[in-house]
RNA sequence: GCGAUUUUAGCUCAGUCGGUUAGAGCGCCUGUUUGUGGAGCAGGAGGUCACGGGUUCGAAUCCCGCAAGUCGCCCCA
């Protein structure tokens, strides 16, 4: 085998895959379709940004000390000597695009969604790849906690409609930068007496990014941190009110959630609300999606002082989770053909009319196909079934002589003879009348 | 970056204690006397046993190395 795909990437094929059934194009289209539909219903519009950005955009927004920026970016120098990075996350590019296109001047509260490929240079494992399809939304210009609730409700709607049953919503509030400075100091003071008992990783975070110490999975560190001060006790009055209002909205909408005091997310730009949605059956990587508020991000990118909130979810984890739960997706198989043309007899006589008929059907909006392997009748019938055809058209020497074609219902095997000049109209009629055509 | 584990036909996998020419199912191809279900029957193609060394009379099998896949650590989606 000469070439292999890059490490920790995957191919999505239009054919069933025994080992990895989620790598099937039809399933991807289904999930994307649900996401688009839900976003549209919530009033969100699609934005597409380049796959590359200036490296600095991510360094400045996500934070130099974050894992993503410090060790997981696909960064290279282009031919003009500029440092470029394949986007590791979706929010900063959207912010950049909105500022650059003057969106905020004409749209007070843009509500946007995107579907795109994101890249992180990590070692793969279940549900984690170097190239990953992320679906996300961003809202700008609203600090009303009702919009926090809307974004969360949109995410929950999506998961419910796509078929994920057991999603768990966890929320937290990080407050504003000023209150976080106080909290950071309190957390340091709490940890300092037993700093030497923390892992190397934890000790590193003590200096660089104390909040991330909370993110540990080590049972020992969880024990040590169990009595640590909590973020919500340090919130400024407004943030506390904001967080309380959000909870009220979630309650009245009937959305169950839990407050997770150690939910701090991976990027430095988050303020106030953060949330994560987790699912079962994903192995170690059980976060289906997450997001939060980023009130200072637009300004930090050189735009106006405008608040924002968003979330992103992973296509791979969504599909793997659905598969693990045994959910049957209502997939429209776009490869299914409506009419299959069977040709018989002398090819020099039959092929030309067949090519013409096939083209006429397709021009008329009927999906149609034929065998290109000059096979015998039974084999062509089989091929028609494999193509999923509801009807076959039979065109042989004797039909050509009489200017007709046989229309055969594949289910009932009923067969009627129809004039070649009328067949396209006839099939068009059937396709309109018949639901399961 | 680290650890565990796997690698034999297009796919899913057997392969015993190291012993003849490397096996199955599915898929693919051909035929089944040539225009109506071929999902039946008969046959066929397809392998550098990931790759490189070593031990041995003899290696898919044992040893060393290396590559890729998978899962996990860290972190995230």
């Amino acid at each position: 085998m000469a070439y292999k795909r890059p490490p920790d990437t995957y191919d999505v094929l239009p054919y069933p895959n025994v080992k990895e059934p989620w790598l099937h194009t039809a399933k991807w289209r289904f999930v994307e379709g649900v996401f688009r539909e839900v976003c549209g219903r919530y009033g969100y519009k699609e934005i597409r940004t380049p796959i590359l950005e200036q490296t600095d955009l991510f360094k400045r927004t996500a934070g130099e000390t974050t894992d993503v920026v410090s060790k997981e970016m696909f960064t290279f120098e282009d031919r003009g000597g500029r440092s470029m990075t394949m986007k590791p996350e979706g929010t900063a590019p959207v912010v950049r695009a909105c500022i650059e296109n003057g969106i905020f001047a004409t749209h007070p509260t843009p509500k946007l969604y995107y579907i795109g490929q994101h890249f992180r240079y990590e070692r793969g494992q279940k549900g984690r790849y170097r190239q990953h399809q992320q679906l996300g939304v961003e809202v700008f210009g609203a600090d009303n906690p009702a919009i926090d609730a809307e974004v969360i409700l949109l995410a929950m709607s999506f998961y419910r409609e796509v078929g994920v049953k057991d999603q768990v919503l966890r929320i937290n509030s990080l407050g504003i930068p000023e209150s976080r400075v106080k909290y950071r100091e309190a957390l340091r003071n709490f940890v300092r007496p037993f700093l030497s008992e923390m892992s190397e990783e934890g000790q590193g975070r003590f200096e660089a990014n104390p909040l991330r110490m909370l993110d540990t999975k080590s049972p020992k560190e969880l024990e040590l941190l169990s009595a640590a001060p909590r973020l919500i006790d340090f919130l400024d009055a407004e943030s506390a009110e904001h967080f309380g209002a959000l909870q009220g909205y979630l309650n009245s909408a009937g959305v169950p959630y839990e407050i997770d005091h150690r939910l701090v997310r991976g990027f430095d730009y988050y303020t106030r609300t953060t949330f994560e949605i987790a699912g079962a059956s994903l192995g170690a990587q059980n976060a289906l999606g997450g997001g939060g508020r980023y009130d200072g991000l637009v300004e930090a990118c050189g735009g106006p002082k405008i608040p924002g909130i968003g979330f992103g979810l992973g296509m791979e984890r969504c599909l793997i989770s659905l598969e693990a739960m045994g959910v049957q997706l209502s997939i429209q198989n776009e490869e299914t053909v409506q009419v299959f043309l069977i040709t018989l007899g002398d090819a020099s006589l039959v092929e030309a009319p067949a090519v013409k008929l096939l083209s006429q059907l397709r021009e008329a909006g009927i999906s149609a196909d034929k065998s290109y392997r000059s096979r015998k009748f039974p084999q062509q019938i089989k091929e028609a079934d494999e193509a999923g055809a509801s009807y076959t058209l039979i065109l042989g020497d004797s039909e050509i002589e009489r200017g007709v074609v046989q229309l055969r219902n594949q289910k009932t095997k009923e067969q009627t003879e129809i004039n070649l000049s009328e067949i396209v109209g006839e099939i068009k009629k059937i396709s309109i009348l018949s639901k399961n055509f």
Side-chain angles (χ1 to χ4, degrees):
Chain A
M1 216 175 295
Y3 296 107
K4 309 206 68 159
R5 75 179 75 96
D8 299 317
T9 59
Y10 49 80
D11 299 309
V12 185
L13 305 177
Y15 310 108
N17 179 325
V18 176
K19 262 191 171 171
E20 307 280 2
W22 63 278
L23 291 175
H24 192 174
T25 324
K27 296 184 175 181
W28 282 61
R29 291 163 61 104
F30 170 77
V31 172
E32 287 168 2
V34 170
F35 185 74
R36 286 204 153 86
E37 205 278 322
V38 171
C39 285
R41 222 185 311 140
Y42 276 76
Y44 289 67
K45 298 185 190 309
E46 182 177 6
I47 183 169
R48 303 191 187 197
T49 66
I51 226 159
L52 295 173
E53 296 281 354
Q54 293 176 30
T55 300
D56 206 40
L57 174 67
F58 301 112
K59 281 193 179 172
R60 290 250 294 269
T61 55
E64 300 259 9
T65 62
T66 59
D67 283 6
V68 167
V69 170
S70 64
K71 59 182 189 187
E72 295 173 0
M73 295 207 298
F74 273 93
T75 296
F76 63 93
E77 193 172 285
D78 73 8
R79 288 166 189 268
R82 292 169 284 255
S83 179
M84 306 300 290
T85 293
M86 298 171 77
K87 58 180 169 186
E89 63 102 22
T91 301
V94 170
V95 170
R96 191 231 82 226
C98 286
I99 295 169
E100 185 167 349
N101 293 284
I103 303 297
F104 299 126
T106 48
H107 297 78
T109 56
K111 294 171 43 162
L112 306 168
Y113 79 88
Y114 61 85
I115 297 175
Q117 300 292 348
H118 296 71
F119 302 83
R120 291 184 197 171
Y121 195 92
E122 311 175 78
R123 282 299 264 112
Q125 55 183 279
K126 196 172 185 66
R128 190 175 71 188
Y129 300 89
R130 287 186 176 179
Q131 172 172 347
H132 108 269
Q133 177 92 331
Q134 186 164 320
L135 305 87
V137 307
E138 314 287 352
V139 186
F140 300 96
D143 52 15
N144 185 334
I147 200 71
D148 301 43
E150 178 179 285
V151 167
I152 290 170
L153 288 169
L154 187 157
M156 299 299 273
S157 289
F158 164 78
Y159 284 119
R160 191 175 59 249
E161 286 175 40
V162 90
V164 175
K165 294 182 195 104
D166 58 351
Q167 72 266 43
V168 176
L169 171 64
R170 302 200 312 270
I171 63 172
N172 194 19
S173 178
L174 301 180
I176 57 175
E178 291 74 36
S179 62
R180 213 161 356 152
V181 168
K182 282 188 220 152
Y183 175 73
R184 195 173 294 147
E185 232 10 80
L187 187 60
R188 278 209 183 100
N189 290 337
F190 173 83
V191 170
R192 193 164 285 119
F194 53 84
L195 182 60
S196 59
E197 293 178 59
M198 301 282 286
S199 65
E200 200 180 321
E201 190 84 29
Q203 294 191 34
R205 287 172 180 172
F206 180 86
E207 282 308 325
N209 198 341
L211 291 202
R212 299 216 58 78
M213 290 192 297
L214 295 174
D215 211 27
T216 183
K217 278 179 200 157
S218 145
K220 186 186 173 191
E221 292 193 7
L222 286 173
E223 174 68 30
L224 291 170
L225 291 166
S226 61
R230 304 190 309 184
L231 263 162
I232 56 169
D233 297 325
F234 284 77
L235 294 183
D236 58 291
E238 265 184 64
S239 294
E241 194 183 327
H242 186 100
F243 193 45
L246 169 62
Q247 290 173 57
Y249 298 149
L250 292 175
N251 289 337
S252 72
V255 176
Y257 61 89
E258 49 190 71
I259 297 175
D260 182 346
H261 296 291
R262 33 177 32 101
L263 178 60
V264 294
R265 297 195 35 87
F267 301 125
D268 288 351
Y269 55 62
Y270 283 114
T271 56
R272 292 190 176 170
T273 309
T274 56
F275 65 96
E276 234 172 63
I277 297 169
S281 322
L282 272 169
Q285 311 305 326
N286 69 350
L288 285 169
R293 181 166 275 283
Y294 43 82
D295 289 343
L297 181 58
V298 176
E299 197 177 12
C301 287
K305 191 175 167 137
I306 281 180
I309 179 168
F311 92 102
L313 66 97
M315 173 66 87
E316 299 83 0
R317 290 183 190 182
C318 180
L319 287 168
I320 291 169
S321 172
L322 286 167
E323 187 183 310
M325 290 185 292
V327 176
Q328 288 291 318
L329 304 182
S330 48
I331 291 169
Q332 294 281 325
N333 194 344
E334 77 267 20
E335 290 84 17
T336 293
V337 126
Q338 294 171 312
V339 175
F340 196 89
L341 178 59
I342 291 173
T343 55
L344 296 165
D346 185 353
S348 66
L349 215 63
V350 171
E351 280 300 301
V355 169
K356 183 183 172 192
L357 176 54
L358 203 53
S359 165
Q360 287 173 328
L361 288 165
R362 290 163 169 170
E363 291 290 323
I366 310 288
S367 73
D369 210 347
K370 74 183 282 292
S371 176
Y372 292 98
R373 291 191 291 169
S374 68
R375 314 181 82 193
K376 292 176 180 164
F377 191 93
Q379 295 172 314
Q380 293 194 57
I381 286 276
K382 192 185 170 197
E383 210 172 320
D385 281 340
E386 284 167 358
S390 320
Y391 287 86
T392 46
L393 289 173
I394 301 157
L395 190 65
D397 305 49
S398 69
E399 282 80 12
I400 296 289
E401 265 175 45
R402 290 179 289 130
V404 299
V405 63
Q406 309 288 339
L407 174 63
R408 185 180 193 269
N409 184 317
Q410 282 298 95
K411 263 191 207 131
T412 65
K413 303 183 188 178
E414 282 174 83
Q415 201 166 306
T416 47
E417 193 169 286
I418 292 172
N419 280 331
L420 209 40
S421 55
E422 293 163 16
I423 187 62
V424 174
E426 193 60 33
I427 288 176
K428 194 87 183 158
K429 212 185 295 172
I430 295 171
S431 75
I432 291 164
L433 293 175
S434 173
K435 260 187 182 170
N436 53 0
F437 181 63

